[in-house]
Amino acid sequence: MDPERIVAPSSRMVREASARLVLDRMWHAPVVTGSDLMAATGLSRATVHDVCEELIERGWVREVANQREFGGYQKGRPARRYAFDPQAGLVVGVDAGEHRVGAIVADLRGVELGRHQSLPHGGFGDPAERLDIVGEAITAALAAADVRVRRVLTVTVGVPAPVDAAGRTAFRGNPYWELMNPDIGERLRDRHGWRTIVDNDANLAALAEGWRGHGRGERHFVALLAGERLGAGIVEDGRLLRGVRGGAGEMRFLDLVAGVGSTDGIAKLAREWAREALAEPVARSVLAPDPDAASVFAAATAGDALAAGVVDRIAERMARVIATLASLVDTDQVIIAGRVAASCGSLVSTVQELLARHGDPPPRVLASTLGGDAVMLGAVKRSLDDVREHALQLAVG
């Protein structure tokens, strides 16, 4: 390279790089001193303190008052102590599902401050109604947290549709997907001014599992959202796989799998198959005429033969789904996620037994401990990651 064409970094660029390095080290640390930051970053004492002063002015960091340990006398001036301020801004995570919308407001360390959950409904009639309900859920969650709207730095919305890098659903000709993501990110930005990210709900469930669930410390796993429809968030070597248009975890191939034939999820199958069984003239069961998935699994656990038969059918089907998925991505574990996970423990053990018959080492199958919060928590994590990446370009306070 021609030395004359090499452009030296500006002092502002160097300062920004130093500030990013210091802020990154402080984000999850307790109170630190300048010496702590020097050791962690390799920066000089003068640079560390200058950067901390700038971060204090920007609102990211606060200086902590010094206290003498044990009440004893110390010679010299005590070291200056700094701490990241997790209340410098807020993030919002939204699960914009087909039948309900939920939102969580959190501080910059992911501590929940407030939430809102809409009542279940029969679906959305048009994009405008969907946008209204998403916006209302966010506003209600902010009100529950008793915080100012202007402190929101990033909102992430999870939708049951493939989403590309720009937050749009690029697959056209699918009315359901188009209704689930009618360019939600752009419209929320235009309507409310929020910095908005839109992502696939299963991808966000995978982020949540890696953050606070069974995926912690795992390099290879799949989060399988399994309520109304099946969708997978695939983590390979620690990275979330998305595909060119965000369709890496879509399960449309199940239409072609013998013994499966659709992307219907566990909750939907439990309801429909239980209703079909109850409609038989000789049916005997403790189940109500229109049971939900949780009551079907509870009845099966209690020994109800009709409910147990339904659960066995679902187990056989899910074993085929997971075996097919595992053959495609060769993963260590599959985590059944979503609201249905709380009630399907017996199903998981049966699926694991069925998978063992296939011969190849099967993946571990686990029920998520995050329940119905998985997508919202993943959306919070995505928002936190965005804020951390773009911190120095955001206005806080």
Side-chain angles (χ1 to χ4, degrees):
M1 180 180 291
D2 184 351
E4 294 183 0
R5 298 184 64 184
I6 298 176
V7 179
S10 68
S11 58
R12 185 66 251 174
M13 290 173 60
V14 173
R15 185 60 167 262
E16 289 284 325
S18 298
R20 180 177 294 278
L21 189 59
V22 168
L23 185 58
D24 190 62
R25 294 292 181 178
M26 296 179 69
W27 202 283
H28 287 291
V31 174
V32 295
T33 65
S35 296
D36 295 330
L37 293 171
M38 290 167 56
T41 64
L43 299 173
S44 70
R45 182 176 299 277
T47 298
V48 163
H49 288 298
D50 285 349
V51 165
C52 286
E53 289 289 350
E54 182 173 342
L55 292 174
I56 289 171
E57 291 177 6
R58 292 191 183 197
W60 289 106
V61 171
R62 56 189 173 84
E63 187 166 1
V64 180
N66 282 281
Q67 296 178 352
R68 301 291 186 180
E69 289 186 328
F70 312 114
Y73 176 76
Q74 294 180 342
K75 292 183 178 181
R77 189 172 68 179
R80 297 179 69 182
R81 303 160 72 229
Y82 305 101
F84 173 74
D85 185 1
Q87 299 291 325
L90 305 169
V91 296
V92 182
V94 182
D95 178 4
E98 179 182 3
H99 296 291
R100 70 178 76 210
V101 176
I104 289 177
V105 177
D107 71 12
L108 297 182
R109 282 186 174 146
V111 176
E112 181 179 324
L113 303 176
R115 68 165 59 202
H116 174 77
Q117 185 80 56
S118 70
L119 295 174
H121 52 82
F124 299 95
D126 56 60
E129 180 188 6
R130 181 157 172 77
L131 288 164
D132 286 342
I133 292 177
V134 170
E136 289 165 6
I138 296 170
T139 301
L142 290 167
D146 193 22
V147 294
R148 291 172 293 180
V149 174
R150 68 180 182 84
R151 294 178 58 209
V152 174
L153 300 180
T154 302
V155 174
T156 295
V157 182
V159 297
V163 178
D164 65 16
R168 296 186 174 88
T169 297
F171 294 89
R172 295 302 177 184
N174 185 317
Y176 174 78
W177 284 348
E178 291 179 7
L179 179 59
M180 291 299 99
N181 183 26
D183 292 335
I184 285 178
E186 181 177 346
R187 296 190 186 196
L188 284 180
R189 283 190 292 271
D190 291 344
R191 186 179 294 186
H192 300 282
W194 294 320
R195 179 183 177 88
T196 308
I197 297 169
V198 179
D199 204 345
N200 172 260
D201 54 0
N203 286 345
L204 295 177
L207 286 180
E209 292 295 338
W211 184 33
R212 293 185 175 178
H214 289 307
R216 282 178 293 184
E218 299 289 338
R219 302 290 294 174
H220 306 269
F221 68 90
V222 174
L224 184 61
L225 275 183
E228 296 302 306
R229 288 176 172 82
L230 298 176
I234 304 167
V235 174
E236 170 67 22
D237 199 21
R239 295 185 307 110
L240 187 63
L241 298 186
R242 298 183 178 276
V244 176
R245 295 175 296 275
E250 293 302 320
M251 309 288 280
R252 290 174 295 169
F253 64 87
L254 293 177
D255 294 349
L256 307 176
V257 176
V260 181
S262 76
T263 60
D264 289 348
I266 291 172
K268 182 177 181 180
L269 293 174
R271 290 196 312 271
E272 293 185 351
W273 287 354
R275 282 200 298 264
E276 291 174 6
L278 289 167
E280 294 292 329
V282 296
R284 295 291 183 273
S285 176
V286 298
L287 290 172
D290 190 20
D292 60 13
S295 61
V296 172
F297 285 112
T301 300
D304 184 278
L306 183 147
V310 171
V311 173
D312 286 344
R313 285 184 66 190
I314 295 172
E316 177 63 38
R317 182 164 173 147
M318 291 306 299
R320 291 174 180 268
V321 169
I322 293 172
T324 304
L325 185 59
S327 72
L328 293 173
V329 301
D330 190 24
T331 191
D332 282 337
Q333 66 180 22
V334 175
I335 305 164
I336 295 178
R339 196 175 305 277
V340 74
S343 59
C344 67
S346 59
L347 174 75
V348 166
S349 59
T350 304
V351 169
Q352 192 76 73
E353 293 172 4
L354 292 171
L355 286 172
R357 301 175 188 174
H358 287 273
D360 294 332
R364 295 186 302 279
V365 182
L366 302 167
S368 173
T369 59
L370 304 180
D373 288 351
V375 176
M376 287 189 292
L377 289 174
V380 167
K381 181 64 166 65
R382 183 76 195 276
S383 291
L384 290 171
D385 290 345
D386 177 75
V387 171
R388 193 162 180 174
E389 181 180 354
H390 299 97
L392 299 182
Q393 288 78 52
L394 300 176
V396 299

